[in-house]
Amino acid sequence: MTAMVKAEGVHKSYGAAHILKGIDLEVAPGEVFCLIGPSGSGKSTFLRCINHLEKVNAGRLYVDGELVGYRQKGDKLYELKDSEVALKRRDIGMVFQRFNLFPHMTAVENVMEAPVQVKGESKAVARERALKLLDRVGLGDKSGNFPSQLSGGQQQRVAIARALAMEPKLMLFDEPTSALDPELVGDVLDVMRDLAESGMTMVVVTHEMGFAREVGDSLVFMDGGVVVESGHPRDVLTNPQHDRTKAFLSKVL
């Protein structure tokens, strides 16, 4: 079975700052893969490399068996054109810390926008799916509301519906609850649980250890741009083997 995400020796630097120092990992289709670690450990950077929002400096990154951002001829890599990258990015949904909704559009218009503009779908078809997706994330009654009329948690659920509207085969979540008030976190995590149960492949950068323990299939602890420890979430969280993992978990659990 082809891995949905495969990283081989992935490095990323910004000038002299070496952020990712040889990441190797695999995410199986249908797996919920959680990334944890302190701020600055490279988790979000790695996530952004998966859909080529950031370019890797060395190594190989594959999504569903295809190189991300490049094509290989012989031993050489050739960067894909922006239009080719955009085409592949359609298959990858991404949900950020900040919701990045279009403020001048209603919830349903936000969810419809990409299928109409990018895929050329008719507005009627896109609208019908958008309404179903808003229903799925518990916001069927808010379809006509603008982002300013929604709570942070509701905006984040619209953002998830928007990512799902492109019918992706992979969903990336970059700390989707970290900007939310604590009482709004549960609603977003419930939507993510539902997605996991439906078989969606998900890579989740998170501080929500309970979610990682309950919903995650695999967990990686990153620090200083490397994978320090990996395994089943319950094993890593309850019985960490590495001193650095133990120190981190003692502060967050």
Side-chain angles (χ1 to χ4, degrees):
M1 183 164 59
T2 305
M4 183 58 78
V5 179
K6 186 175 187 182
E8 298 176 344
V10 169
H11 287 257
K12 173 68 187 173
S13 299
Y14 300 104
H18 199 170
I19 307 297
L20 299 177
K21 303 170 184 171
I23 301 292
D24 295 293
L25 55 80
E26 275 192 33
V27 181
E31 186 173 25
V32 178
F33 192 96
C34 296
L35 290 165
I36 66 168
S39 294
S41 58
K43 310 179 302 290
S44 296
T45 300
F46 178 70
L47 208 65
R48 293 169 69 85
C49 289
I50 294 175
N51 67 354
H52 207 57
L53 287 173
E54 301 285 356
K55 297 172 187 178
V56 303
N57 298 112
R60 301 273 193 280
L61 196 47
Y62 301 88
V63 170
D64 204 14
E66 293 190 14
L67 261 177
V68 174
Y70 300 89
R71 76 163 56 84
Q72 189 163 348
K73 279 188 185 169
D75 293 338
K76 288 205 166 161
L77 287 184
Y78 297 90
E79 193 163 356
L80 297 178
K81 294 183 194 137
D82 287 348
S83 57
E84 294 173 290
V85 171
L87 206 58
K88 298 213 190 262
R89 202 178 276 145
R90 286 164 38 162
D91 292 331
I92 305 174
M94 184 148 186
V95 178
F96 300 89
Q97 289 181 31
R98 297 281 167 196
F99 331 117
N100 301 333
L101 297 177
F102 297 115
H104 61 290
M105 291 184 182
T106 62
V108 72
E109 288 167 344
N110 263 286
V111 179
M112 287 168 59
E113 180 71 0
V116 171
Q117 297 300 333
V118 179
K119 283 188 169 176
E121 264 184 20
S122 76
K123 285 193 171 177
V125 169
R127 183 180 178 80
E128 190 178 343
R129 189 188 310 110
L131 289 170
K132 281 183 184 156
L133 285 168
L134 287 172
D135 224 18
R136 182 175 176 184
V137 300
L139 294 173
D141 59 336
K142 304 285 186 191
S143 63
N145 288 37
F146 289 94
S148 60
Q149 299 167 313
L150 300 172
S151 72
Q154 290 170 335
Q155 289 185 60
Q156 191 61 295
R157 284 185 279 154
V158 173
I160 293 172
R162 179 177 62 179
L164 291 173
M166 291 295 281
E167 301 181 310
K169 54 189 171 188
L170 170 65
M171 285 282 283
L172 309 176
F173 292 88
D174 188 5
E175 298 187 12
T177 58
S178 66
L180 301 178
D181 292 333
E183 70 267 26
L184 303 176
V185 167
D187 292 338
V188 173
L189 293 180
D190 285 344
V191 170
M192 292 170 65
R193 262 190 207 96
D194 171 60
L195 262 187
E197 282 165 14
S198 74
M200 174 64 76
T201 312
M202 297 159 61
V203 181
V204 185
V205 171
T206 186
H207 293 299
E208 301 291 339
M209 300 302 154
F211 175 84
R213 188 188 293 111
E214 291 163 44
V215 184
D217 298 301
S218 299
L219 181 133
V220 156
F221 170 66
M222 282 178 68
D223 189 28
V226 298
V227 172
V228 175
E229 191 164 338
S230 62
H232 190 278
R234 283 198 183 94
D235 297 339
V236 177
L237 293 173
T238 55
N239 188 24
Q241 300 303 302
H242 197 283
D243 287 344
R244 185 66 195 91
T245 319
K246 289 175 188 170
F248 174 75
L249 291 174
S250 72
K251 292 194 177 94
V252 298
L253 288 178

